[in-house]
Amino acid sequence: TSCTVCAYATLGHAAPQLFDAAAKAAINNLDAFSTQNLSNTLWSFATLDHSSPELFDAAASESVRKLVEFMPQELSTTVWAYATMMRTSTELLNSVADISIEKLEEYNAQSISIIIWSYGKLDHPSPKLFNAVAQIPKNKLETFTSQGITNTVWSFAKMGHPAHEFFDVMSEMAIKNIDDFDPHGLANTIWANAKVGYINRKLTEAIAQKALLNIKRIKTADITLIK
């Protein structure tokens, strides 16, 4: 079941009847699902925006039972799916937070940023998890992509979790990677800084210059089209 729906999701091909049938079959057989099967199935439903509250509720309970078996990427994919579908499970999110704090050094930057973004998206408070992420060594923070930086600081701000030393490092990384930011990422990053009352003038100037460049490009494109 997980292989079939995953293939359709990878292709971006919606198949409502198939997914409805797959959800029913999965619910009755979740105990036989591996952690990879669970995360892939949830990812597939979320990717194609196919709602199945019953499946997500049942999968949350099954995921908690098998939590220690999850690989970091599987965990981040799982909570991403719940956040994308705006489907919450207090038990699952609390359990994921606990095990993530315990094993955070094993997680890569992508998994960390996805998990933190998911908690912000779902408005699920987890101060201990956010504190743990704020204390990640600088050499790991330096591996965050522009999207990872944006998603992480956005979630910190959304949850009202100020961590100025952490924002110092993330701002430094944002400046270094400023050319990789899209307009949405720039806006979310500066919003996050303002939301927590954090000011970094170098970053503010870098974002302003990047935004100005984008505006100039848009105007040039418009002029070209008018010709």
Side-chain angles (χ1 to χ4, degrees), residues 9 37 58-60 62 76 79 85 101 105 110 132 138 143 155-156 166 175 181 183 190 211 214:
N37 292 151
E62 189 65 29
S76 63
V79 294
M85 298 303 292
I101 293 169
E105 63 181 21
Q110 183 179 29
K138 183 178 179 180
T143 65
S155 193
F156 268 72
F166 175 71
I175 293 169
F181 281 77
I190 199 65
N214 288 338

Short mmCIF file of all heavy atoms in Angstrom, two decimals, residues 9 37 58-60 62 76 79 85 101 105 110 132 138 143 155-156 166 175 181 183 190 211 214:
data_model
loop_
_atom_site.label_atom_id
_atom_site.label_comp_id
_atom_site.label_asym_id
_atom_site.label_seq_id
_atom_site.Cartn_x
_atom_site.Cartn_y
_atom_site.Cartn_z
N ALA A 9 2.23 9.87 -5.34
CA ALA A 9 2.61 11.17 -4.77
C ALA A 9 3.88 11.70 -5.42
O ALA A 9 4.00 12.90 -5.69
CB ALA A 9 2.80 11.03 -3.26
N ASN A 37 7.32 2.59 6.17
CA ASN A 37 6.00 2.50 5.56
C ASN A 37 5.07 3.57 6.10
O ASN A 37 4.33 4.22 5.36
CB ASN A 37 5.37 1.13 5.82
CG ASN A 37 6.06 -0.01 5.12
OD1 ASN A 37 6.06 -1.14 5.61
ND2 ASN A 37 6.66 0.27 3.97
N ALA A 58 -5.08 7.08 13.45
CA ALA A 58 -4.60 5.72 13.72
C ALA A 58 -3.08 5.64 13.58
O ALA A 58 -2.40 4.98 14.37
CB ALA A 58 -5.27 4.73 12.76
N ALA A 59 -2.55 6.33 12.58
CA ALA A 59 -1.10 6.31 12.35
C ALA A 59 -0.35 7.01 13.48
O ALA A 59 0.78 6.64 13.80
CB ALA A 59 -0.77 6.98 11.01
N ALA A 60 -0.97 8.02 14.09
CA ALA A 60 -0.33 8.72 15.20
C ALA A 60 -0.11 7.75 16.36
O ALA A 60 0.98 7.70 16.95
CB ALA A 60 -1.19 9.90 15.65
N GLU A 62 0.00 4.48 16.23
CA GLU A 62 0.96 3.44 15.82
C GLU A 62 2.38 3.99 15.83
O GLU A 62 3.33 3.29 16.21
CB GLU A 62 0.59 2.91 14.44
CG GLU A 62 1.38 1.68 14.00
CD GLU A 62 1.11 0.46 14.86
OE1 GLU A 62 -0.01 0.35 15.42
OE2 GLU A 62 2.02 -0.39 14.98
N SER A 76 10.98 13.29 10.90
CA SER A 76 10.73 14.62 10.36
C SER A 76 9.68 14.57 9.26
O SER A 76 8.83 15.46 9.16
CB SER A 76 12.02 15.26 9.85
OG SER A 76 12.58 14.53 8.77
N VAL A 79 6.13 14.18 11.04
CA VAL A 79 5.54 15.40 11.63
C VAL A 79 5.27 16.44 10.55
O VAL A 79 4.33 17.23 10.66
CB VAL A 79 6.43 15.98 12.76
CG1 VAL A 79 6.49 15.03 13.93
CG2 VAL A 79 7.81 16.33 12.27
N MET A 85 -0.99 18.83 6.67
CA MET A 85 -2.43 18.56 6.66
C MET A 85 -3.15 19.26 7.81
O MET A 85 -4.37 19.12 7.94
CB MET A 85 -2.68 17.06 6.72
CG MET A 85 -2.13 16.28 5.54
SD MET A 85 -2.77 16.86 3.96
CE MET A 85 -4.50 16.38 4.08
N ILE A 101 14.90 15.53 21.45
CA ILE A 101 15.81 16.16 22.41
C ILE A 101 16.92 15.18 22.79
O ILE A 101 18.09 15.53 22.85
CB ILE A 101 15.05 16.61 23.67
CG1 ILE A 101 14.09 17.76 23.31
CG2 ILE A 101 16.02 17.05 24.76
CD1 ILE A 101 13.11 18.10 24.41
N GLU A 105 21.67 15.21 18.42
CA GLU A 105 22.98 15.23 17.78
C GLU A 105 23.04 14.28 16.58
O GLU A 105 23.93 14.41 15.72
CB GLU A 105 24.07 14.85 18.78
CG GLU A 105 23.95 13.46 19.35
CD GLU A 105 25.04 13.15 20.38
OE1 GLU A 105 25.62 14.12 20.92
OE2 GLU A 105 25.29 11.97 20.61
N GLN A 110 18.44 19.37 7.94
CA GLN A 110 17.14 19.31 7.28
C GLN A 110 16.06 18.73 8.20
O GLN A 110 14.97 19.28 8.31
CB GLN A 110 17.22 18.47 6.00
CG GLN A 110 15.91 18.42 5.23
CD GLN A 110 16.03 17.61 3.95
OE1 GLN A 110 16.83 16.68 3.86
NE2 GLN A 110 15.23 17.95 2.95
N ALA A 132 16.60 23.09 23.12
CA ALA A 132 17.64 22.16 22.67
C ALA A 132 18.16 22.56 21.30
O ALA A 132 19.38 22.53 21.04
CB ALA A 132 17.08 20.73 22.63
N LYS A 138 27.46 25.53 16.58
CA LYS A 138 27.50 26.40 15.41
C LYS A 138 27.86 25.65 14.14
O LYS A 138 27.33 25.94 13.06
CB LYS A 138 28.50 27.54 15.64
CG LYS A 138 28.54 28.54 14.49
CD LYS A 138 29.50 29.68 14.79
CE LYS A 138 29.56 30.66 13.63
NZ LYS A 138 30.49 31.79 13.89
N THR A 143 25.24 24.28 8.47
CA THR A 143 24.82 23.39 7.37
C THR A 143 23.37 23.63 6.97
O THR A 143 22.87 22.99 6.05
CB THR A 143 25.01 21.91 7.76
OG1 THR A 143 24.12 21.59 8.85
CG2 THR A 143 26.44 21.63 8.18
N SER A 155 9.53 29.63 12.91
CA SER A 155 8.85 28.83 13.93
C SER A 155 9.17 29.33 15.34
O SER A 155 8.28 29.40 16.20
CB SER A 155 9.24 27.36 13.80
OG SER A 155 8.38 26.55 14.57
N PHE A 156 10.42 29.70 15.58
CA PHE A 156 10.79 30.27 16.88
C PHE A 156 9.94 31.51 17.15
O PHE A 156 9.44 31.71 18.27
CB PHE A 156 12.27 30.63 16.90
CG PHE A 156 13.16 29.52 17.44
CD1 PHE A 156 13.39 28.39 16.69
CD2 PHE A 156 13.75 29.63 18.68
CE1 PHE A 156 14.21 27.37 17.17
CE2 PHE A 156 14.56 28.62 19.19
CZ PHE A 156 14.80 27.48 18.43
N PHE A 166 21.06 32.36 19.48
CA PHE A 166 20.73 31.47 18.36
C PHE A 166 20.44 32.29 17.11
O PHE A 166 20.92 31.97 16.01
CB PHE A 166 19.53 30.61 18.74
CG PHE A 166 19.01 29.73 17.64
CD1 PHE A 166 19.73 28.64 17.20
CD2 PHE A 166 17.77 29.99 17.05
CE1 PHE A 166 19.24 27.82 16.19
CE2 PHE A 166 17.28 29.19 16.05
CZ PHE A 166 18.02 28.09 15.61
N ILE A 175 23.08 35.83 6.14
CA ILE A 175 23.86 36.80 5.36
C ILE A 175 24.77 36.09 4.37
O ILE A 175 24.89 36.49 3.21
CB ILE A 175 24.68 37.70 6.30
CG1 ILE A 175 23.74 38.58 7.13
CG2 ILE A 175 25.66 38.56 5.52
CD1 ILE A 175 24.43 39.31 8.27
N PHE A 181 18.10 33.02 -0.99
CA PHE A 181 16.76 33.29 -0.46
C PHE A 181 15.82 33.77 -1.55
O PHE A 181 16.20 34.61 -2.38
CB PHE A 181 16.82 34.35 0.64
CG PHE A 181 17.26 33.83 1.98
CD1 PHE A 181 18.61 33.58 2.23
CD2 PHE A 181 16.35 33.61 2.99
CE1 PHE A 181 19.04 33.11 3.47
CE2 PHE A 181 16.75 33.14 4.23
CZ PHE A 181 18.10 32.88 4.47
N PRO A 183 12.00 35.67 -2.37
CA PRO A 183 11.29 36.77 -1.71
C PRO A 183 10.49 36.33 -0.48
O PRO A 183 10.45 37.03 0.53
CB PRO A 183 10.38 37.32 -2.81
CG PRO A 183 11.13 37.03 -4.07
CD PRO A 183 11.77 35.69 -3.83
N ILE A 190 12.79 38.30 8.00
CA ILE A 190 12.78 39.62 8.64
C ILE A 190 11.57 39.73 9.57
O ILE A 190 11.64 40.39 10.62
CB ILE A 190 12.78 40.76 7.57
CG1 ILE A 190 13.23 42.07 8.21
CG2 ILE A 190 11.46 40.88 6.88
CD1 ILE A 190 14.65 42.08 8.69
N ALA A 211 16.13 42.45 -1.61
CA ALA A 211 14.75 42.76 -1.99
C ALA A 211 14.74 43.82 -3.09
O ALA A 211 13.96 43.73 -4.05
CB ALA A 211 13.96 43.25 -0.79
N ASN A 214 15.56 42.25 -6.35
CA ASN A 214 14.42 41.51 -6.89
C ASN A 214 13.41 42.45 -7.53
O ASN A 214 12.86 42.16 -8.60
CB ASN A 214 13.73 40.72 -5.77
CG ASN A 214 14.55 39.51 -5.32
OD1 ASN A 214 15.40 39.03 -6.05
ND2 ASN A 214 14.30 39.05 -4.11
#
